[in-house]
Amino acid sequence: MTSRTTGRASRAQLPRTLAVTSALALTGGLAACSTGSDDAGSDAPSDQTLTVAVYAGSWGESFTEAFVEPFEEETGATVELVPGGPADWLTALRSTQGGTPAYDVVAFTPNVVPSAVSAGVVAELDTERIAEFDQLNTVLAEQSNVDGTQYGVPLTVGSTGIAYRTDKVTEPPTAWSDLLDPQYCGHVAVSPLTFNTGVEFLAGLIDEAGGTITDPDDVDAAFEQLETLADCASSFPADGTSVETALANGDAWIAAHWDGRAFVQQNQGEPIGYSYPESGSVGALTSLFVTEGTEQEDLAYEFLNYVASSDYQPVFSEGTWYAASNDENVYPEQFSQQIASGEGAYDDFVWVDYEAITPQLPDLQARWQQIFG
């Protein structure tokens, strides 16, 4: 079983980026506002409700403990969490566009951000209303900066690698292509390309072969690899919780998955191991966005001050085993020894250039559907 310490070393040695990330300049004027998180909710009426779309499972539980509970206690406002996944949340926001949005704040991953921005369902972020924005890691903030405009507040970062059942897989996998090994046929979870883990798995296969996801020939070669899984995939999880469930109940023995969520299962005593592929893990990130047209804009910004704060982020990290975005975070000694974080920690991550490939995703998903039905 791969230890967390070993995993940390693997991530630190990631060799290159998958595609040239657009040179997106962070929005200027990131001066902190005069009120910090200590009094972030002082003006919030106690009868206000904020609707926030975030993940379920251990992620959602930690989010509640770290941010929701102190926010509710200190402001008197109520936070209603809506569990699910980014693709579903984007669909819901599109369906309510022009009226009251389905959510006031939504968690999106980089694969969804270009579509959310082009659809006009997320608002430009007024960074001056986020007291600690200038403390947030610039590499992470860039992932929700589109054409020079900042939209999201980065929260949590990890990497996508390979989770597996230690009671079924005798040799820990070391490569993305290990998921294609015939010995796992009938026990492989393959996520669709409507879910960012599916795209990250595809990107990992391409990167392992020395290609880029923006090169059609390299993409074709990866789909030829996926075709070998046509009769071997046992489940098609479309969100993180579904990946966890497939591994926990034995529907899958191996899957592309996020490191932090796999470690939480491992810490809870489940037979889950985790490997960082030798060719490089793919960066995984979740950022929070204020929705366009929300009637709770002020309350949303009050809440995002908690999300961005080094006072609360470490609590979230301890529960999820993900580092968080504020470079000033102080973590417990064990966490700091095992998980890379802070300035410079993510410079060598493999990042998918979603701005470049998002226009192709419908066609790529159609090809995926032809294989897996």
Side-chain angles (χ1 to χ4, degrees), residues 19 30 73 78 102 114 130 143 148 164 181 192-193 213 222 236 245 267 285 293-294 310 314 342:
L30 304 184
E73 180 179 351
T78 299
I130 306 298
Q143 302 306 311
Y164 59 96
D181 194 315
L193 303 186
I213 202 168
F236 307 96
T245 300
N267 292 343
L285 176 71
T294 175
S310 58

Side-chain angles (χ1 to χ4, degrees), residues 216-293:
D217 291 338
D218 296 337
V219 173
D220 289 344
F223 270 96
E224 290 178 5
Q225 291 180 287
L226 288 179
E227 287 174 1
T228 66
L229 288 175
D231 298 321
C232 291
S234 59
S235 62
F236 307 96
D239 56 66
T241 301
S242 297
V243 178
E244 293 176 0
T245 300
L247 290 166
N249 63 22
D251 285 346
W253 294 356
I254 191 168
H257 195 28
W258 297 314
D259 52 356
R261 294 186 74 152
F263 287 144
V264 168
Q265 287 185 278
Q266 186 182 101
N267 292 343
Q268 293 173 343
E270 297 181 39
I272 303 298
Y274 195 84
S275 291
Y276 295 95
E278 292 177 352
S279 62
S281 303
V282 181
L285 176 71
T286 297
S287 302
L288 294 189
F289 299 77
V290 178
T291 59
E292 185 65 50

